[in-house]
Every structure is written in structure tokens, then in C-alpha cells.
Amino acid sequence: MIREMGSSSKEYEFLSEIGLSSHNLGNYVGGKWLGNGPLVSTLNPANNQPIAQVVEASLEDYEQGLKACEEAAKVWMQVPAPKRGDIVRQIGDALRSKLDFLGRLLSLEMGKILAEGIGEVQEVIDMCDFAVGLSRQLNGSVIPSERPNHMMLEMWNPLGIVGVITAFNFPCAVLGWNACIALVCGNCVVWKGAPTTPLITIAMTKLVAEVLEKNHLPGAIFTAMCGGAEIGEAIAKDTRIPLVSFTGSSKVGLTVQQTVSARSGKTLLELSGNNAIIVMDDADIQLAARSVLFAAVGTAGQRCTTCRRLLLHESVYDKVLEQLLTSYKQVKIGDPLEKGTLLGPLHTPESKKNFEKGIEVIKSQGGKVLTGGKAVEGEGNFVEPTIIEISSDAAVVKEELFAPVLYALKFKTFEEAVAINNSVPQGLSSSIFTRSPENIFKWIGPMGSDCGIVNVNIPTNGAEIGGAFGGEKATGGGREAGSDSWKQYMRRSTCTINYGNELPLAQGINFG
């Protein structure tokens, strides 16, 4: 049963604790808050009632911001990297002081349950901590030279400005993956948050702005704008931005990539996922079933790492489905801020309509609804968690329906399961449940999963920041967060130094 959220002003009183009001300027440009674009209302997806108003950016606001950012870049890139790391540390501390309020806002505006909202903000804090350590490890290398009295070095220098365009489903975590590293690498950041989560963008930026101001640094080091497609297009076309990180659909991501590439810029793309969990005949069934529930239902199926395809060995097919069908009926749907809720709303009314259309398409291609399959009546964007029995050959299985819809597929052999896993255009995350070392090492090897994230006995979601996050194929090929992802935010120079001041050989030529 769903209990809808009210829209009383008392319910939103906590917003003032993070600098928000009923009317907000949505753009931090040149160290000042302004807005000359459209006035929009941000909605609570649990009841589609307005939370607050935001003034978005105009193209004139954007241009003003980029000019200030260009000037700030000249200052920021000359600040020693460990000092830049200390600034990011302070940003992490500022976020930590408002963790519960920010997490509550994220749940309110995006729709994910409170534990996930707080967890997402914590991930940004963790990225700040990660970046602090990284600021003392932006190491180049010394390369042996074949010439006497010469030395070769690799130097890493900032790109200048990094553009970050984030999506609604992780409205602050993706910023953290990019901005924390971009800042310690010496870059200014231009952030365009998702147009449907502007309050998250504003609240996060206010805390960053306070840190910069306290340290007497130009506010334009971190420029943030709320806005729609025209601001995103401006970032993609802007030659002053060497690297654009984009998170969203494969269709829009391809357009961004083509636009940035046309001006010889670089892109970092985190696009669609169509992730599979394989359950072998020797798997721990209870562990697998619990993991599938977490991976398929969490965030109402709106994670890029959501499990969308469940590949079950024919010998355990009925047993796993029996456990899942039982657990699905116990999932509490409702107010994401209410204790015990596991499934909050989809983010927009359009998402709810897409769910209903998607179910009809699935049925037309032979899909059998085992549980769920319906939208919940009422003001909010709620739908039932759904399991579909379908053939892996159905065209709809190759697509990503951004909702809590899980396809159950049957296989006979390990090789067949891998082939099904790899048969979709996307290549983000994948997982296998097995006790067999042979299966494990085949799975992570060259003839195994073709995804960027390849897990064993854990779900497809829940990636740690210490590893590089991203995928292959139509997922875009980008890598963010840990490992050596920092190298994308810098330019590499190979430097040769002739410290012996010896002339190069030039037979037969007299220079004097």
C-alpha cells in the first residue's frame, strides 16, 4: 500500500538548513548567484507537487560564467596539488556537516529511498577523501634516454576546464566522481546538473562556494548552472572546455561525443547499461536471490547498474524464481522518506508512462508477466516491481527500460550464458554466481564478460570508488572515480632535457 507524501511547507522546512528557499537562483557564475533564464518548478516525484522554484541559466549567463572560469583557471592550476587537495578536503568536511539534510533532499527531489540518498552524498564525501590522497600522487615517470647526458620525463599538467553534465538518477555522486579528481588535477569545473534535480545542484554548489570564499579563491573555479539542453549543447560546443564528461542515454551521449569530437575535444561518457546476473547450477541460491532483489529493485530500477537480465541455469531456474516471486510480493512501495520503504517512485510522470508502454511492448514480443507489470494509481510515479519470463532472442531484451523490470532467461551451459550476457549493445556491469574457480576465471578472462565491471557473487550494482567505473560498447567507454582515471583529466607531456649541452650530430653541416 502506498502512502503519498504531503506537500506542506512544514515538510520542507529542512531545506533552509542547506541554503534553499521557495525561490532560488540556479546559477553560480563568477562567484555570484544569478539567473536570467526560465523560471521552473522542481517536483516531488512521490506526489508531483512543487517543492520550490528555480531560475535557470540563460546563454548570456553561460558566457559570463565561462569567461570568469577561464581567468580562474590561470590561478587554480598554479596552486600546488597538495594545497588543491586540502581545498577538496574542506569541501568533503562541508558536505559531511550537512550529510543528513543533503541525503533527505536527494530522496525528496529524485525519489530514491532515504538510505540511498544519504549513501549517495556519502559517496561524494568518500571521493573527496580519495582525491586528497591522490593530490600527492599525481606522479609522472623518468624514462631512460638513449642519448648521453639527456633525460626523459613524463609530466602531467591540468587541462584547464572540465565540463560535467550529470543525470537525475545520481545527481551528486557522478559530480563527485568527476569534480573531486578534476579539481585536485588543477582544473576548474563547469557543472550542469540534471534539469529535474536543480535543488541538489544548488545545495551542493553553495557548500563548495563557501569553501572557496573562505580560502580567498576565485568562485569561478567551480561554476554551476541549472538548465536544459541548450546549456548542455553550449558546453559540448565550447572550445574552451577540453574535456566533457557526460552521463545519460546512449543516444544523447553519441550526439555529445560527435559534437565535442568535431572541435577536437575529449569526452568521458557514462551511458546506458543492460546488466545481467548469471546464476550457475552450483551457486548459493539464497545469496543470489537476495542480490538480484537488491540489484533489480533498488532506486526503482533507475541505476545504470540495475540488473535487467537474470540468466538462470535450467536446473535452478524454478527454485530461484520461486524465491524471487515470494520476496517481490513483500517489497514495500511508497514514500521514499518513510522508514521501511524499499521501492520509491520513478522520477517523472513520463517515466511512469514509459513503463506502461514498455510492458505492452514486452507482452507483444512474447513476454509473460510473472509478477507486477502495472503502474500504481495515484498522484505519484509509482509502479510495481516486475519480473518477466521471456526469450533472450526478443528484441526488447536488447533495450534498456529504465524501471524495475527484470527479464528471466534460461540457459544450459556456461558458454551459452556468456554469449547471452555479451549479446546486447551495452557493456556496463555483469555478475556471475558460482562456486567454481574454473567458471570464475573464465568469466573474468578474455572469453568471458565483455563489460567494464565484471563481478563474482555480488550484484551488478554497488561499485566501489577505488576502482575505475565505466563500461564498453554503447556504454561509452568512459572510466571515472578510482584506479588511474585521474589521467583523463590531465595532459601528458614527454620532456627531453639535454643537460650536457651537447650538439646533435649533423655531418657535413657547418653552423658557424
mmCIF file with all atom_site columns, all heavy atoms in Angstrom, residues 354-377:
data_model
loop_
_atom_site.group_PDB
_atom_site.id
_atom_site.type_symbol
_atom_site.label_atom_id
_atom_site.label_alt_id
_atom_site.label_comp_id
_atom_site.label_asym_id
_atom_site.label_entity_id
_atom_site.label_seq_id
_atom_site.pdbx_PDB_ins_code
_atom_site.Cartn_x
_atom_site.Cartn_y
_atom_site.Cartn_z
_atom_site.occupancy
_atom_site.B_iso_or_equiv
_atom_site.pdbx_formal_charge
_atom_site.auth_seq_id
_atom_site.auth_comp_id
_atom_site.auth_asym_id
_atom_site.auth_atom_id
_atom_site.pdbx_PDB_model_num
ATOM 1   N N   . ASN A 1 354 ? 6.308  5.579   -19.734 1.00 0.00 ? 354 ASN A N   1
ATOM 2   C CA  . ASN A 1 354 ? 7.238  4.723   -20.477 1.00 0.00 ? 354 ASN A CA  1
ATOM 3   C C   . ASN A 1 354 ? 7.224  3.295   -19.944 1.00 0.00 ? 354 ASN A C   1
ATOM 4   O O   . ASN A 1 354 ? 7.374  2.339   -20.704 1.00 0.00 ? 354 ASN A O   1
ATOM 5   C CB  . ASN A 1 354 ? 8.653  5.297   -20.419 1.00 0.00 ? 354 ASN A CB  1
ATOM 6   C CG  . ASN A 1 354 ? 8.813  6.547   -21.253 1.00 0.00 ? 354 ASN A CG  1
ATOM 7   O OD1 . ASN A 1 354 ? 8.018  6.801   -22.167 1.00 0.00 ? 354 ASN A OD1 1
ATOM 8   N ND2 . ASN A 1 354 ? 9.814  7.358   -20.943 1.00 0.00 ? 354 ASN A ND2 1
ATOM 9   N N   . PHE A 1 355 ? 7.068  3.161   -18.619 1.00 0.00 ? 355 PHE A N   1
ATOM 10  C CA  . PHE A 1 355 ? 6.953  1.839   -18.013 1.00 0.00 ? 355 PHE A CA  1
ATOM 11  C C   . PHE A 1 355 ? 5.730  1.108   -18.578 1.00 0.00 ? 355 PHE A C   1
ATOM 12  O O   . PHE A 1 355 ? 5.818  -0.056  -18.995 1.00 0.00 ? 355 PHE A O   1
ATOM 13  C CB  . PHE A 1 355 ? 6.841  1.969   -16.495 1.00 0.00 ? 355 PHE A CB  1
ATOM 14  C CG  . PHE A 1 355 ? 6.434  0.707   -15.781 1.00 0.00 ? 355 PHE A CG  1
ATOM 15  C CD1 . PHE A 1 355 ? 7.382  -0.247  -15.429 1.00 0.00 ? 355 PHE A CD1 1
ATOM 16  C CD2 . PHE A 1 355 ? 5.100  0.478   -15.444 1.00 0.00 ? 355 PHE A CD2 1
ATOM 17  C CE1 . PHE A 1 355 ? 7.002  -1.417  -14.772 1.00 0.00 ? 355 PHE A CE1 1
ATOM 18  C CE2 . PHE A 1 355 ? 4.716  -0.678  -14.785 1.00 0.00 ? 355 PHE A CE2 1
ATOM 19  C CZ  . PHE A 1 355 ? 5.670  -1.623  -14.446 1.00 0.00 ? 355 PHE A CZ  1
ATOM 20  N N   . GLU A 1 356 ? 4.582  1.801   -18.600 1.00 0.00 ? 356 GLU A N   1
ATOM 21  C CA  . GLU A 1 356 ? 3.353  1.166   -19.090 1.00 0.00 ? 356 GLU A CA  1
ATOM 22  C C   . GLU A 1 356 ? 3.470  0.801   -20.563 1.00 0.00 ? 356 GLU A C   1
ATOM 23  O O   . GLU A 1 356 ? 3.055  -0.302  -20.974 1.00 0.00 ? 356 GLU A O   1
ATOM 24  C CB  . GLU A 1 356 ? 2.170  2.109   -18.861 1.00 0.00 ? 356 GLU A CB  1
ATOM 25  C CG  . GLU A 1 356 ? 1.856  2.339   -17.394 1.00 0.00 ? 356 GLU A CG  1
ATOM 26  C CD  . GLU A 1 356 ? 0.723  3.318   -17.178 1.00 0.00 ? 356 GLU A CD  1
ATOM 27  O OE1 . GLU A 1 356 ? 0.838  4.483   -17.626 1.00 0.00 ? 356 GLU A OE1 1
ATOM 28  O OE2 . GLU A 1 356 ? -0.272 2.915   -16.568 1.00 0.00 ? 356 GLU A OE2 1
ATOM 29  N N   . LYS A 1 357 ? 4.048  1.698   -21.369 1.00 0.00 ? 357 LYS A N   1
ATOM 30  C CA  . LYS A 1 357 ? 4.254  1.394   -22.791 1.00 0.00 ? 357 LYS A CA  1
ATOM 31  C C   . LYS A 1 357 ? 5.215  0.229   -22.959 1.00 0.00 ? 357 LYS A C   1
ATOM 32  O O   . LYS A 1 357 ? 5.022  -0.648  -23.811 1.00 0.00 ? 357 LYS A O   1
ATOM 33  C CB  . LYS A 1 357 ? 4.807  2.625   -23.517 1.00 0.00 ? 357 LYS A CB  1
ATOM 34  C CG  . LYS A 1 357 ? 3.838  3.784   -23.633 1.00 0.00 ? 357 LYS A CG  1
ATOM 35  C CD  . LYS A 1 357 ? 4.519  4.984   -24.280 1.00 0.00 ? 357 LYS A CD  1
ATOM 36  C CE  . LYS A 1 357 ? 3.611  6.204   -24.288 1.00 0.00 ? 357 LYS A CE  1
ATOM 37  N NZ  . LYS A 1 357 ? 4.319  7.406   -24.818 1.00 0.00 ? 357 LYS A NZ  1
ATOM 38  N N   . GLY A 1 358 ? 6.281  0.220   -22.131 1.00 0.00 ? 358 GLY A N   1
ATOM 39  C CA  . GLY A 1 358 ? 7.274  -0.845  -22.218 1.00 0.00 ? 358 GLY A CA  1
ATOM 40  C C   . GLY A 1 358 ? 6.689  -2.207  -21.917 1.00 0.00 ? 358 GLY A C   1
ATOM 41  O O   . GLY A 1 358 ? 7.025  -3.207  -22.586 1.00 0.00 ? 358 GLY A O   1
ATOM 42  N N   . ILE A 1 359 ? 5.801  -2.294  -20.929 1.00 0.00 ? 359 ILE A N   1
ATOM 43  C CA  . ILE A 1 359 ? 5.170  -3.571  -20.591 1.00 0.00 ? 359 ILE A CA  1
ATOM 44  C C   . ILE A 1 359 ? 4.345  -4.088  -21.771 1.00 0.00 ? 359 ILE A C   1
ATOM 45  O O   . ILE A 1 359 ? 4.359  -5.292  -22.082 1.00 0.00 ? 359 ILE A O   1
ATOM 46  C CB  . ILE A 1 359 ? 4.291  -3.435  -19.335 1.00 0.00 ? 359 ILE A CB  1
ATOM 47  C CG1 . ILE A 1 359 ? 5.151  -3.104  -18.103 1.00 0.00 ? 359 ILE A CG1 1
ATOM 48  C CG2 . ILE A 1 359 ? 3.478  -4.710  -19.097 1.00 0.00 ? 359 ILE A CG2 1
ATOM 49  C CD1 . ILE A 1 359 ? 6.148  -4.169  -17.722 1.00 0.00 ? 359 ILE A CD1 1
ATOM 50  N N   . GLU A 1 360 ? 3.653  -3.201  -22.460 1.00 0.00 ? 360 GLU A N   1
ATOM 51  C CA  . GLU A 1 360 ? 2.861  -3.623  -23.625 1.00 0.00 ? 360 GLU A CA  1
ATOM 52  C C   . GLU A 1 360 ? 3.756  -4.148  -24.746 1.00 0.00 ? 360 GLU A C   1
ATOM 53  O O   . GLU A 1 360 ? 3.432  -5.139  -25.410 1.00 0.00 ? 360 GLU A O   1
ATOM 54  C CB  . GLU A 1 360 ? 1.997  -2.458  -24.129 1.00 0.00 ? 360 GLU A CB  1
ATOM 55  C CG  . GLU A 1 360 ? 0.898  -2.036  -23.164 1.00 0.00 ? 360 GLU A CG  1
ATOM 56  C CD  . GLU A 1 360 ? 0.036  -3.197  -22.730 1.00 0.00 ? 360 GLU A CD  1
ATOM 57  O OE1 . GLU A 1 360 ? -0.447 -3.948  -23.611 1.00 0.00 ? 360 GLU A OE1 1
ATOM 58  O OE2 . GLU A 1 360 ? -0.150 -3.378  -21.508 1.00 0.00 ? 360 GLU A OE2 1
ATOM 59  N N   . VAL A 1 361 ? 4.896  -3.476  -24.972 1.00 0.00 ? 361 VAL A N   1
ATOM 60  C CA  . VAL A 1 361 ? 5.842  -3.937  -25.991 1.00 0.00 ? 361 VAL A CA  1
ATOM 61  C C   . VAL A 1 361 ? 6.391  -5.314  -25.609 1.00 0.00 ? 361 VAL A C   1
ATOM 62  O O   . VAL A 1 361 ? 6.511  -6.217  -26.450 1.00 0.00 ? 361 VAL A O   1
ATOM 63  C CB  . VAL A 1 361 ? 6.993  -2.925  -26.170 1.00 0.00 ? 361 VAL A CB  1
ATOM 64  C CG1 . VAL A 1 361 ? 8.076  -3.506  -27.082 1.00 0.00 ? 361 VAL A CG1 1
ATOM 65  C CG2 . VAL A 1 361 ? 6.466  -1.615  -26.730 1.00 0.00 ? 361 VAL A CG2 1
ATOM 66  N N   . ILE A 1 362 ? 6.724  -5.477  -24.343 1.00 0.00 ? 362 ILE A N   1
ATOM 67  C CA  . ILE A 1 362 ? 7.251  -6.755  -23.852 1.00 0.00 ? 362 ILE A CA  1
ATOM 68  C C   . ILE A 1 362 ? 6.251  -7.875  -24.097 1.00 0.00 ? 362 ILE A C   1
ATOM 69  O O   . ILE A 1 362 ? 6.601  -8.966  -24.580 1.00 0.00 ? 362 ILE A O   1
ATOM 70  C CB  . ILE A 1 362 ? 7.592  -6.641  -22.350 1.00 0.00 ? 362 ILE A CB  1
ATOM 71  C CG1 . ILE A 1 362 ? 8.815  -5.742  -22.151 1.00 0.00 ? 362 ILE A CG1 1
ATOM 72  C CG2 . ILE A 1 362 ? 7.840  -8.016  -21.737 1.00 0.00 ? 362 ILE A CG2 1
ATOM 73  C CD1 . ILE A 1 362 ? 9.009  -5.281  -20.719 1.00 0.00 ? 362 ILE A CD1 1
ATOM 74  N N   . LYS A 1 363 ? 4.989  -7.627  -23.780 1.00 0.00 ? 363 LYS A N   1
ATOM 75  C CA  . LYS A 1 363 ? 3.944  -8.639  -23.989 1.00 0.00 ? 363 LYS A CA  1
ATOM 76  C C   . LYS A 1 363 ? 3.795  -8.979  -25.468 1.00 0.00 ? 363 LYS A C   1
ATOM 77  O O   . LYS A 1 363 ? 3.599  -10.145 -25.834 1.00 0.00 ? 363 LYS A O   1
ATOM 78  C CB  . LYS A 1 363 ? 2.616  -8.142  -23.430 1.00 0.00 ? 363 LYS A CB  1
ATOM 79  C CG  . LYS A 1 363 ? 2.544  -8.088  -21.909 1.00 0.00 ? 363 LYS A CG  1
ATOM 80  C CD  . LYS A 1 363 ? 1.194  -7.537  -21.467 1.00 0.00 ? 363 LYS A CD  1
ATOM 81  C CE  . LYS A 1 363 ? 1.059  -7.488  -19.953 1.00 0.00 ? 363 LYS A CE  1
ATOM 82  N NZ  . LYS A 1 363 ? -0.247 -6.887  -19.539 1.00 0.00 ? 363 LYS A NZ  1
ATOM 83  N N   . SER A 1 364 ? 3.900  -7.958  -26.322 1.00 0.00 ? 364 SER A N   1
ATOM 84  C CA  . SER A 1 364 ? 3.751  -8.184  -27.768 1.00 0.00 ? 364 SER A CA  1
ATOM 85  C C   . SER A 1 364 ? 4.872  -9.032  -28.344 1.00 0.00 ? 364 SER A C   1
ATOM 86  O O   . SER A 1 364 ? 4.729  -9.610  -29.423 1.00 0.00 ? 364 SER A O   1
ATOM 87  C CB  . SER A 1 364 ? 3.682  -6.842  -28.497 1.00 0.00 ? 364 SER A CB  1
ATOM 88  O OG  . SER A 1 364 ? 4.955  -6.206  -28.534 1.00 0.00 ? 364 SER A OG  1
ATOM 89  N N   . GLN A 1 365 ? 6.012  -9.112  -27.607 1.00 0.00 ? 365 GLN A N   1
ATOM 90  C CA  . GLN A 1 365 ? 7.148  -9.910  -28.065 1.00 0.00 ? 365 GLN A CA  1
ATOM 91  C C   . GLN A 1 365 ? 7.255  -11.239 -27.306 1.00 0.00 ? 365 GLN A C   1
ATOM 92  O O   . GLN A 1 365 ? 8.317  -11.855 -27.277 1.00 0.00 ? 365 GLN A O   1
ATOM 93  C CB  . GLN A 1 365 ? 8.431  -9.102  -27.928 1.00 0.00 ? 365 GLN A CB  1
ATOM 94  C CG  . GLN A 1 365 ? 8.464  -7.877  -28.834 1.00 0.00 ? 365 GLN A CG  1
ATOM 95  C CD  . GLN A 1 365 ? 9.798  -7.142  -28.799 1.00 0.00 ? 365 GLN A CD  1
ATOM 96  O OE1 . GLN A 1 365 ? 10.814 -7.671  -28.359 1.00 0.00 ? 365 GLN A OE1 1
ATOM 97  N NE2 . GLN A 1 365 ? 9.808  -5.905  -29.301 1.00 0.00 ? 365 GLN A NE2 1
ATOM 98  N N   . GLY A 1 366 ? 6.159  -11.643 -26.696 1.00 0.00 ? 366 GLY A N   1
ATOM 99  C CA  . GLY A 1 366 ? 6.118  -12.966 -26.059 1.00 0.00 ? 366 GLY A CA  1
ATOM 100 C C   . GLY A 1 366 ? 6.456  -12.971 -24.585 1.00 0.00 ? 366 GLY A C   1
ATOM 101 O O   . GLY A 1 366 ? 6.543  -14.048 -23.973 1.00 0.00 ? 366 GLY A O   1
ATOM 102 N N   . GLY A 1 367 ? 6.634  -11.821 -23.979 1.00 0.00 ? 367 GLY A N   1
ATOM 103 C CA  . GLY A 1 367 ? 6.957  -11.763 -22.564 1.00 0.00 ? 367 GLY A CA  1
ATOM 104 C C   . GLY A 1 367 ? 5.760  -12.114 -21.693 1.00 0.00 ? 367 GLY A C   1
ATOM 105 O O   . GLY A 1 367 ? 4.634  -11.690 -21.960 1.00 0.00 ? 367 GLY A O   1
ATOM 106 N N   . LYS A 1 368 ? 6.004  -12.906 -20.661 1.00 0.00 ? 368 LYS A N   1
ATOM 107 C CA  . LYS A 1 368 ? 4.961  -13.316 -19.728 1.00 0.00 ? 368 LYS A CA  1
ATOM 108 C C   . LYS A 1 368 ? 5.236  -12.667 -18.371 1.00 0.00 ? 368 LYS A C   1
ATOM 109 O O   . LYS A 1 368 ? 6.298  -12.865 -17.778 1.00 0.00 ? 368 LYS A O   1
ATOM 110 C CB  . LYS A 1 368 ? 4.943  -14.837 -19.587 1.00 0.00 ? 368 LYS A CB  1
ATOM 111 C CG  . LYS A 1 368 ? 3.928  -15.362 -18.587 1.00 0.00 ? 368 LYS A CG  1
ATOM 112 C CD  . LYS A 1 368 ? 4.053  -16.873 -18.441 1.00 0.00 ? 368 LYS A CD  1
ATOM 113 C CE  . LYS A 1 368 ? 3.102  -17.411 -17.370 1.00 0.00 ? 368 LYS A CE  1
ATOM 114 N NZ  . LYS A 1 368 ? 3.295  -18.880 -17.178 1.00 0.00 ? 368 LYS A NZ  1
ATOM 115 N N   . VAL A 1 369 ? 4.283  -11.881 -17.880 1.00 0.00 ? 369 VAL A N   1
ATOM 116 C CA  . VAL A 1 369 ? 4.445  -11.200 -16.597 1.00 0.00 ? 369 VAL A CA  1
ATOM 117 C C   . VAL A 1 369 ? 4.238  -12.202 -15.468 1.00 0.00 ? 369 VAL A C   1
ATOM 118 O O   . VAL A 1 369 ? 3.157  -12.763 -15.309 1.00 0.00 ? 369 VAL A O   1
ATOM 119 C CB  . VAL A 1 369 ? 3.457  -10.031 -16.455 1.00 0.00 ? 369 VAL A CB  1
ATOM 120 C CG1 . VAL A 1 369 ? 3.612  -9.369  -15.086 1.00 0.00 ? 369 VAL A CG1 1
ATOM 121 C CG2 . VAL A 1 369 ? 3.674  -9.003  -17.564 1.00 0.00 ? 369 VAL A CG2 1
ATOM 122 N N   . LEU A 1 370 ? 5.287  -12.425 -14.674 1.00 0.00 ? 370 LEU A N   1
ATOM 123 C CA  . LEU A 1 370 ? 5.198  -13.349 -13.537 1.00 0.00 ? 370 LEU A CA  1
ATOM 124 C C   . LEU A 1 370 ? 4.730  -12.642 -12.271 1.00 0.00 ? 370 LEU A C   1
ATOM 125 O O   . LEU A 1 370 ? 4.082  -13.244 -11.424 1.00 0.00 ? 370 LEU A O   1
ATOM 126 C CB  . LEU A 1 370 ? 6.561  -14.013 -13.297 1.00 0.00 ? 370 LEU A CB  1
ATOM 127 C CG  . LEU A 1 370 ? 7.137  -14.826 -14.460 1.00 0.00 ? 370 LEU A CG  1
ATOM 128 C CD1 . LEU A 1 370 ? 8.471  -15.448 -14.053 1.00 0.00 ? 370 LEU A CD1 1
ATOM 129 C CD2 . LEU A 1 370 ? 6.159  -15.897 -14.921 1.00 0.00 ? 370 LEU A CD2 1
ATOM 130 N N   . THR A 1 371 ? 5.088  -11.378 -12.135 1.00 0.00 ? 371 THR A N   1
ATOM 131 C CA  . THR A 1 371 ? 4.612  -10.553 -11.025 1.00 0.00 ? 371 THR A CA  1
ATOM 132 C C   . THR A 1 371 ? 4.761  -9.099  -11.406 1.00 0.00 ? 371 THR A C   1
ATOM 133 O O   . THR A 1 371 ? 5.646  -8.737  -12.186 1.00 0.00 ? 371 THR A O   1
ATOM 134 C CB  . THR A 1 371 ? 5.385  -10.838 -9.718  1.00 0.00 ? 371 THR A CB  1
ATOM 135 O OG1 . THR A 1 371 ? 4.760  -10.144 -8.636  1.00 0.00 ? 371 THR A OG1 1
ATOM 136 C CG2 . THR A 1 371 ? 6.833  -10.381 -9.804  1.00 0.00 ? 371 THR A CG2 1
ATOM 137 N N   . GLY A 1 372 ? 3.887  -8.246  -10.873 1.00 0.00 ? 372 GLY A N   1
ATOM 138 C CA  . GLY A 1 372 ? 3.954  -6.820  -11.164 1.00 0.00 ? 372 GLY A CA  1
ATOM 139 C C   . GLY A 1 372 ? 3.378  -6.491  -12.525 1.00 0.00 ? 372 GLY A C   1
ATOM 140 O O   . GLY A 1 372 ? 2.353  -7.016  -12.941 1.00 0.00 ? 372 GLY A O   1
ATOM 141 N N   . GLY A 1 373 ? 4.054  -5.551  -13.207 1.00 0.00 ? 373 GLY A N   1
ATOM 142 C CA  . GLY A 1 373 ? 3.655  -5.195  -14.561 1.00 0.00 ? 373 GLY A CA  1
ATOM 143 C C   . GLY A 1 373 ? 2.653  -4.067  -14.656 1.00 0.00 ? 373 GLY A C   1
ATOM 144 O O   . GLY A 1 373 ? 2.183  -3.755  -15.755 1.00 0.00 ? 373 GLY A O   1
ATOM 145 N N   . LYS A 1 374 ? 2.311  -3.451  -13.527 1.00 0.00 ? 374 LYS A N   1
ATOM 146 C CA  . LYS A 1 374 ? 1.305  -2.391  -13.554 1.00 0.00 ? 374 LYS A CA  1
ATOM 147 C C   . LYS A 1 374 ? 1.815  -1.133  -12.855 1.00 0.00 ? 374 LYS A C   1
ATOM 148 O O   . LYS A 1 374 ? 2.600  -1.204  -11.917 1.00 0.00 ? 374 LYS A O   1
ATOM 149 C CB  . LYS A 1 374 ? 0.018  -2.859  -12.871 1.00 0.00 ? 374 LYS A CB  1
ATOM 150 C CG  . LYS A 1 374 ? -0.672 -4.015  -13.573 1.00 0.00 ? 374 LYS A CG  1
ATOM 151 C CD  . LYS A 1 374 ? -1.924 -4.445  -12.811 1.00 0.00 ? 374 LYS A CD  1
ATOM 152 C CE  . LYS A 1 374 ? -2.594 -5.630  -13.501 1.00 0.00 ? 374 LYS A CE  1
ATOM 153 N NZ  . LYS A 1 374 ? -3.781 -6.103  -12.734 1.00 0.00 ? 374 LYS A NZ  1
ATOM 154 N N   . ALA A 1 375 ? 1.315  0.012   -13.329 1.00 0.00 ? 375 ALA A N   1
ATOM 155 C CA  . ALA A 1 375 ? 1.539  1.261   -12.621 1.00 0.00 ? 375 ALA A CA  1
ATOM 156 C C   . ALA A 1 375 ? 0.555  1.347   -11.467 1.00 0.00 ? 375 ALA A C   1
ATOM 157 O O   . ALA A 1 375 ? -0.554 0.809   -11.542 1.00 0.00 ? 375 ALA A O   1
ATOM 158 C CB  . ALA A 1 375 ? 1.356  2.441   -13.565 1.00 0.00 ? 375 ALA A CB  1
ATOM 159 N N   . VAL A 1 376 ? 0.971  1.998   -10.396 1.00 0.00 ? 376 VAL A N   1
ATOM 160 C CA  . VAL A 1 376 ? 0.116  2.152   -9.222  1.00 0.00 ? 376 VAL A CA  1
ATOM 161 C C   . VAL A 1 376 ? -0.701 3.433   -9.368  1.00 0.00 ? 376 VAL A C   1
ATOM 162 O O   . VAL A 1 376 ? -0.155 4.492   -9.678  1.00 0.00 ? 376 VAL A O   1
ATOM 163 C CB  . VAL A 1 376 ? 0.966  2.197   -7.939  1.00 0.00 ? 376 VAL A CB  1
ATOM 164 C CG1 . VAL A 1 376 ? 0.081  2.396   -6.712  1.00 0.00 ? 376 VAL A CG1 1
ATOM 165 C CG2 . VAL A 1 376 ? 1.780  0.919   -7.805  1.00 0.00 ? 376 VAL A CG2 1
ATOM 166 N N   . GLU A 1 377 ? -2.005 3.336   -9.155  1.00 0.00 ? 377 GLU A N   1
ATOM 167 C CA  . GLU A 1 377 ? -2.856 4.512   -9.281  1.00 0.00 ? 377 GLU A CA  1
ATOM 168 C C   . GLU A 1 377 ? -2.548 5.515   -8.172  1.00 0.00 ? 377 GLU A C   1
ATOM 169 O O   . GLU A 1 377 ? -2.186 5.143   -7.066  1.00 0.00 ? 377 GLU A O   1
ATOM 170 C CB  . GLU A 1 377 ? -4.336 4.092   -9.213  1.00 0.00 ? 377 GLU A CB  1
ATOM 171 C CG  . GLU A 1 377 ? -4.779 3.267   -10.427 1.00 0.00 ? 377 GLU A CG  1
ATOM 172 C CD  . GLU A 1 377 ? -6.275 2.972   -10.381 1.00 0.00 ? 377 GLU A CD  1
ATOM 173 O OE1 . GLU A 1 377 ? -6.950 3.536   -9.492  1.00 0.00 ? 377 GLU A OE1 1
ATOM 174 O OE2 . GLU A 1 377 ? -6.739 2.188   -11.216 1.00 0.00 ? 377 GLU A OE2 1
#
